[in-house]
């Protein structure tokens, strides 16, 4: 009952504050900061952070419900909200008491926004090969390098940067928090994208950027592990956003089929199209169940959670994108027009098969888990 109330709260908020503006935000490339502060007032800014410093103290399953609901109104906004939550959790789970006390009271109400910086122009799927360096200089690190495809870049206030403080490989990577106005931090041009137009995506550049060592999260060399733990939850979150896109697209197709007529009959009367709806529903529900299982796996501390999260992300993002594509087909030519939102759900959900680890990498992770279990009874 409690989770249903959380879900209903998120859907009501989406219907009132998100869905009516989705197409305008996309068309005019508006980053809806005011909406985020309203969402944070409901506890959506630090959903699974502890309550001590302003977090909501909810579960990963609760977060999945919330992100799916908000994505029915705007996939892009829900996706950024999920990234902000991931950053807040990384600080809450790894930061010192001083770091938590400083940042969480600002991130939870979303009075300050956060971005996650892992990908580089030369290291995407091979994240452990990142080149951005953080050289020790007394009580400071001096950062040089760049990060690519950073959501919210330039409009957000805090950047969680994975950088090399040691030797090559994952054990030489640390996580450092960089504030927006730090000298030596700059941003590239806003990228022109197929979707996700309601949030800016830019390169983040570091040129002799001096950051206090007190801004490091966890011990030196622990950054790659922290980044991967963050991505486990991020994969559930982004899969939840795909659920929202598919959910909204399925409902839109159902409503369109009830009013559109061809050959003297409503589209809903054609059995072939009824079968399409049934198959879309099967894709959505199977994806939803797998995503919820992955969220519960994280909540329970299951050691097998990374593989379950990868499997959920792989299945849900691909199946839900197909639901959006099928829905557009059911709209016929109208589905291709910008006046109808189904095309935006398709555009905004396509990148979910790429980010938080490409689906090719998800296949690798799942396959390794299966092979590793071959000797199990």
């Amino acid at each position: 009952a409690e989770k249903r109330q959380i879900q209903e709260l998120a859907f009501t908020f989406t219907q009132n504050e998100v869905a009516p503006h989705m197409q305008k935000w996309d068309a005019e490339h508006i980053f809806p900061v005011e909406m985020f502060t309203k969402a944070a007032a409901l506890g959506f800014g630090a959903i699974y952070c502890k309550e001590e410093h302003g977090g909501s103290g909810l579960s990963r399953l609760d977060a999945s419900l919330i992100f799916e609901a908000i994505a029915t109104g705007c996939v892009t906004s829900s996706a950024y909200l999920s990234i902000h939550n991931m950053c807040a959790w990384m600080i809450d789970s790894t930061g010192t008491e001083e770091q938590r006390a400083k940042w969480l009271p600002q991130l939870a109400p979303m009075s300050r926004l956060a971005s996650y910086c892992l990908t580089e122009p030369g290291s995407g799927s091979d994240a452990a090969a990142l080149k951005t360096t953080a050289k020790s200089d007394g009580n400071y690190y001096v950062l040089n390098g760049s990060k690519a495809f950073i959501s919210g870049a330039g409009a957000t206030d805090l950047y969680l940067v994975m950088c090399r403080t040691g030797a090559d490989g994952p054990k030489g990577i640390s996580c450092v928090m960089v504030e927006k106005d730090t000298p030596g931090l700059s941003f590239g041009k806003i990228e022109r994208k197929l979707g996700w137009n309601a949030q800016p995506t830019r390169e983040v550049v570091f040129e002799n950027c001096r950051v206090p060592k007190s801004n490091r999260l966890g011990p030196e060399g622990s950054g790659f592990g922290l980044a991967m733990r963050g991505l486990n939850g991020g994969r559930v979150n982004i899969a939840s956003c795909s659920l929202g896109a598919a959910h909204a697209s399925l409902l839109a197709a159902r409503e369109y089929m009830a009013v559109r007529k061809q050959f003297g009959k409503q589209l809903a009367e054609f059995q072939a199209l009824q079968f399409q709806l049934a198959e879309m529903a099967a894709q959505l529900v199977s994806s939803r169940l797998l995503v919820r299982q992955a969220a519960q796996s994280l909540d329970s501390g299951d050691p097998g959670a990374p593989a379950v999260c990868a499997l959920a992300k792989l299945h849900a993002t691909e199946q839900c994108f197909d639901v959006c594509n099928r829905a557009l087909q059911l709209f016929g030519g109208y589905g291709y027009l910008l006046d109808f939102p189904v095309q935006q759900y398709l555009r905004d959900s396509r990148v979910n098969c790429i980010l938080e680890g490409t689906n090719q990498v998800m296949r690798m992770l799942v396959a390794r888990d299966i092979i590793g279990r071959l000797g199990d009874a």
Side-chain angles (χ1 to χ4, degrees):
E2 180 182 349
K3 294 192 185 315
R4 188 172 296 279
Q5 288 179 343
I6 292 169
Q7 186 181 50
E8 290 174 355
L9 176 66
F11 269 118
T12 300
F13 173 78
T14 300
Q15 290 166 4
N16 294 332
E17 301 290 344
V18 184
H21 311 292
M22 178 183 84
Q23 290 174 282
K24 177 181 175 66
W25 293 340
D26 175 71
E28 300 180 17
H29 295 214
I30 295 171
F31 190 46
V33 174
E34 182 179 350
M35 181 275 287
F36 291 136
T37 58
K38 291 180 180 179
L42 299 178
F44 298 164
I47 297 169
Y48 40 89
C49 292
K50 293 182 284 292
E51 297 176 76
E52 180 183 3
H53 293 297
S56 299
L58 298 177
S59 68
R60 300 286 187 153
L61 181 56
D62 296 322
S64 177
L65 297 172
I66 291 166
F67 294 137
E68 178 181 351
I70 295 177
T72 64
C74 180
V75 176
T76 308
S77 298
S78 186
Y80 173 73
L81 190 64
S82 81
I83 293 167
H84 176 88
N85 270 268
M86 179 172 67
C87 292
W89 173 83
M90 290 170 68
I91 295 171
D92 189 48
S93 64
T94 306
T96 64
E97 178 56 31
E98 182 180 0
Q99 290 169 338
R100 295 173 64 241
K102 176 181 178 180
W103 284 108
L104 292 173
Q106 301 180 68
L107 297 178
M110 300 188 77
S111 57
R112 301 191 77 180
L113 305 176
S115 290
Y116 176 86
C117 303
L118 175 62
T119 299
E120 296 184 359
S123 63
S125 295
D126 186 10
L130 64 85
K131 299 297 184 184
T132 296
T133 59
K135 300 293 187 182
S136 178
D137 183 14
N139 293 326
Y140 287 82
Y141 288 117
V142 180
L143 274 65
N144 283 283
S146 63
K147 298 292 179 178
F149 306 126
I150 305 305
S151 296
T156 52
D157 307 287
L158 182 67
Y159 298 85
L160 273 63
V161 182
M162 309 307 148
C163 48
R164 190 161 300 286
T165 53
D168 291 344
K171 293 183 179 180
I173 296 171
S174 299
C175 179
V176 176
M177 297 182 289
V178 183
E179 297 185 52
K180 182 178 182 179
D181 296 328
T182 304
L185 171 66
S186 62
F187 306 96
K189 63 179 178 61
I190 296 179
E191 304 288 0
R192 298 171 63 240
K193 308 186 295 289
L194 174 69
W196 275 33
N197 292 320
Q199 60 166 281
T201 301
R202 289 176 170 174
E203 188 173 3
V204 179
V205 181
F206 307 96
E207 297 175 295
N208 294 321
C209 181
R210 292 176 63 83
V211 180
K213 287 185 176 178
S214 58
N215 280 21
R216 188 187 66 231
L217 279 179
E220 274 200 3
S222 66
F224 188 78
L226 174 59
M228 294 303 103
R229 292 195 301 275
L231 284 179
N232 288 332
R235 288 162 184 162
V236 174
N237 295 345
I238 210 66
S240 300
C241 294
S242 288
L243 295 177
H247 178 99
S249 296
L250 178 60
L251 293 183
R254 183 189 66 180
E255 293 168 6
Y256 183 76
M257 288 172 61
V259 297
R260 175 70 167 166
K261 289 186 176 181
Q262 290 289 277
F263 306 106
K265 297 167 61 177
Q266 290 181 345
L267 295 186
E269 296 180 63
F270 290 91
Q271 189 178 59
L273 302 186
Q274 293 173 4
F275 284 2
Q276 286 275 356
L277 281 184
E279 290 168 4
M280 291 159 69
Q283 290 174 290
L284 172 58
V285 173
S286 65
S287 297
R288 182 178 285 140
L289 291 172
L290 188 51
V291 172
R292 301 290 191 260
Q293 181 184 350
Q296 290 177 309
S297 183
L298 283 175
D299 284 330
S300 68
D302 177 9
V308 180
C309 293
L311 184 61
K313 195 264 186 184
L314 167 64
H315 182 83
T317 56
E318 293 191 354
Q319 294 300 311
C320 290
F321 175 75
D322 191 56
V323 170
C324 297
N325 195 37
R326 285 174 177 242
L328 190 151
Q329 186 72 18
L330 289 170
F331 272 80
Y334 289 107
Y336 205 66
L337 301 181
L338 296 181
D339 304 273
F340 290 80
V342 67
Q343 52 75 32
Q344 187 174 335
Y345 290 117
L346 180 131
R347 289 188 291 108
D348 286 348
S349 65
R350 177 60 183 88
V351 73
N352 295 354
C353 297
I354 299 172
L355 51 80
E356 309 288 29
T358 66
N359 282 3
Q360 286 71 30
V361 170
M362 297 305 100
R363 286 174 168 85
M364 287 168 51
L365 295 175
V366 172
R368 286 174 184 171
D369 183 70
I370 294 170
I371 292 169
R373 295 172 183 268
L374 287 178
D376 295 347

